[in-house]
Amino acid sequence: EAQVTQNPRYLITVTGKKLTVTCSQNMNHEYMSWYRQDPGLGLRQIYYSMNVEVTDKGDVPEGYKVSRKEKRNFPLILESPSPNQTSLYFCASGSVGETQYFGPGTRLLVL
Amino acid sequence: EDQVTQSPEALRLQEGESSSLNCSYTVSGLRGLFWYRQDPGKGPEFLFTLYSAGEEKEKERLKATLTKKESFLHITAPKPEDSATYLCAVQYTGRRALTFGSGTRLQVQP
């Protein structure tokens, strides 16, 4: 089954404790992306990757890092999480210029 | 600044009562317009992609249309299972990112 998976689905952590949210897709897509969704602000793009070893900032990259060492994986790293990073995070993948397919989401709470 | 505006914010319909959702965007440089459906706590589910003015796409009770400055998602004879938030997103020429609207929350009552 074609899908985008994310782990963990739910995460509670404390300020400053490094964390990684994994994202994997099995559709051989070149393009992968991370979004956060907040009430009243909608979906906003954090980072994206056009292919392996090619990443770039989206609209709200501050406080986040990403890497793309393999085509199928695109982890999101929070080196020192802060409460304002409490949000619902979505990973998406697609062919360049085409439709993006979204994962199920990761709900993060930073205390 | 690229903007995508959806209206109304919320819409309540009776089952079978047809209506339309609107998505307006900055006019210049549209590369593609996407419609998604999102259920609470879940990831957006792809519905349609439109690329040029005059294009239409249909799927069951949904029909998406595109003009030079806006898109409509027409819902014909909706059912309660059509209740969800409908998101519009635009990709502009020269930008890789999708710009999302804030969505229309649709509730269909039996």
Side-chain angles (χ1 to χ4, degrees):
Chain A
E1 180 190 350
Q3 60 182 351
V4 178
T5 57
Q6 298 178 225
N7 282 291
R9 295 290 314 281
Y10 303 92
L11 180 59
I12 300 174
T13 189
V14 295
T15 299
K17 186 175 181 182
K18 181 179 177 180
L19 66 92
T20 299
V21 183
T22 64
C23 172
S24 183
Q25 51 94 5
N26 63 0
M27 296 169 278
N28 201 36
H29 286 153
E30 299 92 1
Y31 185 90
M32 296 186 75
S33 180
W34 276 103
Y35 293 85
R36 62 178 289 173
Q37 187 173 37
D38 303 288
L41 296 175
L43 276 158
R44 293 177 293 166
Q45 191 174 49
I46 303 170
Y47 268 95
Y48 64 91
S49 169
M50 299 298 293
N51 215 323
V52 176
E53 301 292 0
V54 180
T55 63
D56 209 345
K57 296 177 181 178
D59 295 322
V60 288
E62 293 77 20
Y64 304 95
K65 285 176 58 178
V66 292
S67 69
R68 188 91 181 272
K69 292 181 169 40
E70 304 167 282
K71 196 172 187 179
R72 64 181 292 128
N73 296 322
F74 189 45
L76 179 69
I77 303 157
L78 285 71
E79 294 269 3
S80 183
S82 62
N84 65 12
Q85 293 178 296
T86 292
S87 188
L88 179 58
Y89 291 87
F90 291 101
C91 180
S93 76
S95 297
V96 176
E98 299 294 328
T99 303
Q100 294 185 40
Y101 297 91
F102 285 78
T106 295
R107 192 170 292 277
L108 172 65
L109 173 61
V110 183
L111 301 173
Chain B
E1 179 185 331
D2 299 333
Q3 276 199 319
V4 180
T5 304
Q6 290 188 248
S7 62
E9 278 188 30
L11 182 61
R12 183 178 295 179
L13 300 173
Q14 293 295 315
E15 184 171 2
E17 180 186 1
S18 301
S19 188
S20 297
L21 313 182
N22 178 264
C23 171
S24 63
Y25 58 92
T26 305
V27 175
S28 61
L30 178 73
R31 185 173 183 181
L33 186 142
F34 306 85
W35 282 99
Y36 289 86
R37 169 194 170 125
Q38 187 176 25
D39 293 299
K42 295 191 175 181
E45 175 189 345
F46 169 71
L47 294 173
F48 304 109
T49 306
L50 302 165
Y51 291 106
S52 56
E55 192 174 357
E56 298 183 351
K57 296 268 179 78
E58 267 186 271
K59 180 181 178 180
E60 296 180 355
R61 294 178 292 282
L62 300 176
K63 179 179 176 180
T65 62
L66 181 65
T67 72
K68 287 188 177 178
K69 58 179 183 178
E70 58 191 347
S71 176
F72 292 94
L73 184 66
H74 306 280
I75 303 177
T76 302
K79 298 182 178 181
E81 53 261 42
D82 294 322
S83 298
T85 296
Y86 290 85
L87 299 170
C88 169
V90 171
Q91 187 176 41
Y92 291 99
T93 304
R95 289 198 71 216
R96 306 295 186 185
L98 288 182
T99 301
F100 278 85
S102 51
T104 293
R105 198 169 56 255
L106 174 66
Q107 185 179 8
V108 182
Q109 296 182 315

